[in-house]
């Protein structure tokens, strides 16, 4: 018949974390994962991106004579 029964000897062995170093490493990484540290890093990154965006907007609204060394000194002092 088209359907045949399977016995346990037809299935391949699936290595456990104790027999597979790669699986053990993945298991360790998952067990030691601390989402709060990732959240903190992402918040710092977002804050930094927001500061960059704000400074870009401030610069784009300023009319600056880039040939004026005095103006550039003033901008450098505000940075």
């Amino acid at each position: 018949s088209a359907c045949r029964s399977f016995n346990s000897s037809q299935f391949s062995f699936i290595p456990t974390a104790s027999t597979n170093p790669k699986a053990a490493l993945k298991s360790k990484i998952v067990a030691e994962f601390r989402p709060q540290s990732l959240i903190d890093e992402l918040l710092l990154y977002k804050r930094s991106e927001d500061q960059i965006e704000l400074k870009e907007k401030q610069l784009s609204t300023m009319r600056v004579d880039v040939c004026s060394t005095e103006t550039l000194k003033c901008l450098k002092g505000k940075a």
Side-chain angles (χ1 to χ4, degrees):
S1 78
C3 295
R4 57 184 193 177
S5 62
F6 290 98
N7 61 39
S8 61
S9 66
Q10 292 174 306
F11 292 101
S12 63
F13 172 72
I14 299 172
T16 62
S18 61
T19 61
N20 183 340
K22 199 171 193 178
L25 178 61
K26 286 180 182 180
S27 184
K28 181 181 179 204
I29 290 169
V30 170
E32 294 176 356
F33 178 66
R34 300 289 176 256
Q36 190 58 49
S37 62
L38 176 62
I39 291 168
D40 293 343
E41 288 293 321
L42 289 172
L43 288 172
L44 284 173
Y45 178 78
K46 175 75 169 107
R47 200 172 300 133
S48 173
E49 288 289 310
D50 290 345
Q51 282 294 316
I52 291 169
E53 188 177 332
L54 175 65
K55 291 196 182 282
E56 286 175 345
K57 284 181 182 177
Q58 288 173 339
L59 284 173
S60 69
T61 59
M62 297 173 83
R63 295 209 171 166
V64 178
D65 178 8
V66 292
C67 295
S68 166
T69 55
E70 191 61 37
T71 304
L72 293 175
K73 285 179 188 177
C74 290
L75 279 176
K76 186 176 181 182
K78 291 180 181 181

